[in-house]
Amino acid sequence: MVQGRLPAHLGLACCLLLLGGSGGLGSRGTPRGAWEEEQGPVAERGLWGRARYEAVKKHLGAVGTLSKQYWQYLACKVWQEGCEEEEESSPRPGWSLPLVGQDYLEILSAWYCSFGKCCETGDCRIVNNITGLEADLNGQLHGQHLAKEVVVQAMRGFLQSPQPQKPLVLSFHGWSGTGKNFVARMVASRLYRDGLKSECVRVFISLFHFPHHKYLDSYKAQLKKQISETVQLCKQSLFIFDEAEKLHFSLLDAIKPFMAHYDKGEGDYRRSIFLFLSNLGGNTINEVALDFWRAGRAREEISMDFLEQRLRLELQEPAENGYARSHLLRENLIDFLVPFLPLEYHHVKLCTRDAFVARGLAYTEAALDEVAKMMVFVPKEEKLFSAQGCKSVSQRINYFLP
């Protein structure tokens, strides 16, 4: 058995040799040329062993439709070589491998990785670094003990499950600037090598992607097509819907089958992750935080059970929002409602400190206070919570640059 990682060029050469180089495939789907001439000696040399050899031969015999594009794609995704060439020759963003080609690409990737160390996930685009995600949340997300706990536990449990019953669906709720987009970016960067730029990640912004209700039928068809193609290309896909409260309820219902329990239908979406980001429920969350403050209790005493019940009631109230009118809540397709608490003065200072550090700038306590004082705090009497959260903090430190 080969020890360590097989060199990329050697692995690719082996694959091309098995396919008969440029000679292609015979009329019955078997490789011509070198494959026919060498199959006996290769098996006899015992490089793979007879059983593995027969299995690989059987699988490769059906790869009649694979073209040079697939091999460029394979070399880039498995061995990280030839990516520039693959990018130049790849078609428009909607392009995806046919199902047969994708299946055999995965077979070849797994076969290659069996010889030595490859990506732990089996797909080098996916890293699933939950330890890193937890560290990021603990170090950079301020004032959100509930969000930290729920996101980490939900992601860890889902990714460790060998066969999830359904996709993971999280719905983030809270005022603007409390960290919903920030956490979504963290999830993307710690689960995927290329973060938000990964071909496994799709971001939809309600008013940008679906602005006109008269085109709803077209939007629904396009959205379902994009989700299906992304999952074909990458089984563990991440879909982020920003400003979810502005999504028309028919759009939410259109993608409901992608989030439902697996019924052995046409597609398997169980490894997908859906994140919905919404300002809905912000007032309820803020009222609970304010009540705790007035009672002299620490915000860290607010429990998930206590807050989620109130949040769910508000989301189900008859109103002109997609959540109330769609089937997502009624059919329990959302696994966790994740509350983001309003941020206080000292949280804004921590955000300001992080902004200075991120730009490599020195800071003083006085500077942190000055930035925090620029924010508007509510309610009018207590002036407890930042109305903008930490949003615009990074722009405000420009006032302190030389």
Side-chain angles (χ1 to χ4, degrees):
M1 178 61 69
V2 178
Q3 299 296 322
R5 178 171 180 169
L6 191 65
H9 65 278
L10 180 57
L12 183 58
C14 290
C15 289
L16 294 175
L17 177 62
L18 289 172
L19 286 175
S22 60
L25 301 171
S27 60
R28 297 184 181 179
T30 55
R32 293 197 302 264
W35 171 258
E36 294 174 347
E37 296 171 6
E38 298 293 335
Q39 58 181 345
V42 168
E44 292 300 322
R45 285 197 295 269
L47 179 58
W48 305 299
R50 170 60 64 177
R52 176 170 290 179
Y53 162 78
E54 289 295 342
V56 173
K57 175 184 174 184
K58 177 182 177 181
H59 288 312
L60 290 176
V63 197
T65 59
L66 290 181
S67 66
K68 180 182 177 183
Q69 244 178 1
Y70 299 119
W71 298 112
Q72 291 175 342
Y73 185 84
L74 177 65
C76 174
K77 300 306 176 187
V78 177
W79 304 305
Q80 309 302 303
E81 291 191 0
C83 294
E84 297 82 3
E85 183 180 359
E86 196 272 333
E87 288 175 0
E88 291 175 2
S89 63
S90 62
R92 57 184 179 81
W95 176 82
S96 63
L97 298 175
L99 280 176
V100 172
Q102 181 70 17
D103 289 343
Y104 282 96
L105 181 63
E106 292 174 359
I107 290 170
L108 286 172
S109 299
W111 167 76
Y112 169 75
C113 291
S114 71
F115 285 96
K117 183 178 180 182
C118 197
C119 303
E120 292 182 5
T121 61
D123 185 336
C124 291
R125 299 168 296 180
I126 302 171
V127 293
N128 289 347
N129 184 1
I130 295 299
T131 301
L133 174 62
E134 187 172 17
D136 287 348
L137 292 173
N138 287 332
Q140 301 176 45
L141 182 66
H142 307 299
Q144 305 297 352
H145 68 285
L146 294 176
K148 291 178 185 178
E149 179 183 357
V150 175
V151 170
V152 170
Q153 289 185 0
M155 290 292 173
R156 178 178 286 126
F158 178 74
L159 296 176
Q160 289 179 350
S161 175
Q163 285 191 327
Q165 296 300 308
K166 65 180 292 294
L168 178 63
V169 184
L170 304 182
S171 190
F172 295 175
H173 297 272
W175 265 6
S176 177
T178 52
K180 301 184 299 293
N181 278 281
F182 190 49
V183 173
R185 290 196 300 271
M186 283 185 182
V187 169
S189 66
R190 288 302 187 176
L191 264 55
Y192 300 92
R193 180 190 63 201
D194 300 325
L196 290 174
K197 296 181 180 180
S198 172
E199 59 193 345
C200 302
V201 179
R202 296 301 301 266
V203 179
F204 302 97
I205 303 172
S206 297
L207 295 183
F208 179 78
H209 290 96
F210 319 110
H212 305 296
H213 285 180
K214 63 181 178 180
Y215 299 126
L216 278 174
D217 288 340
S218 175
Y219 294 155
K220 286 189 282 187
Q222 291 175 19
L223 183 56
K224 290 191 287 187
K225 182 174 183 289
Q226 289 174 2
I227 291 175
S228 296
E229 289 182 345
T230 303
V231 174
Q232 272 189 29
L233 189 64
C234 186
K235 284 188 176 180
Q236 183 187 300
S237 298
L238 173 64
F239 302 98
I240 301 172
F241 291 85
D242 197 7
E243 300 177 344
E245 73 277 4
K246 296 170 185 173
L247 282 171
H248 194 274
F249 74 92
S250 64
L251 281 173
L252 289 171
D253 284 343
I255 62 175
K256 183 184 70 173
F258 299 107
M259 295 178 277
H261 285 76
Y262 183 56
D263 60 0
K264 298 184 180 179
E266 195 170 307
D268 185 354
Y269 302 94
R270 287 177 293 175
R271 280 291 172 194
S272 301
I273 300 171
F274 290 82
L275 301 183
F276 293 93
L277 284 52
S278 172
N279 292 339
L280 281 177
N283 291 335
T284 294
I285 295 169
N286 294 355
E287 287 171 7
V288 170
L290 184 59
D291 288 343
F292 268 68
W293 181 84
R294 286 172 173 166
R297 302 176 65 184
R299 61 193 282 138
E300 287 75 22
E301 294 181 45
I302 301 174
S303 69
M304 188 65 190
D305 291 340
F306 182 84
L307 190 50
E308 186 178 23
Q309 293 175 10
R310 288 156 178 77
L311 181 56
R312 189 173 292 272
L313 286 174
E314 180 181 338
L315 297 179
Q316 290 176 332
E317 288 179 359
E320 289 300 316
N321 71 73
Y323 279 87
R325 301 178 64 186
S326 74
H327 291 78
L328 297 188
L329 285 170
R330 277 178 280 168
E331 298 184 15
N332 296 313
L333 297 182
I334 296 177
D335 300 298
F336 295 96
L337 298 176
V338 185
F340 283 72
L341 301 175
L343 299 180
E344 300 176 17
Y345 184 88
H346 66 282
H347 299 131
V348 175
K349 286 183 63 177
L350 291 173
C351 292
T352 306
R353 179 204 64 189
D354 292 347
F356 273 106
V357 172
R359 296 173 64 171
L361 301 173
Y363 63 88
T364 63
E365 281 296 317
L368 301 185
D369 280 315
E370 285 297 320
V371 173
K373 288 175 182 177
M374 291 180 181
M375 313 297 279
V376 176
F377 287 84
V378 295
K380 183 180 291 186
E381 298 79 16
E382 291 88 351
K383 296 189 181 299
L384 181 62
F385 304 132
S386 170
Q388 308 105 307
C390 280
K391 189 167 285 187
S392 79
V393 160
S394 60
Q395 286 76 30
R396 292 174 188 266
I397 67 174
N398 291 330
Y399 288 102
F400 298 89
L401 298 181

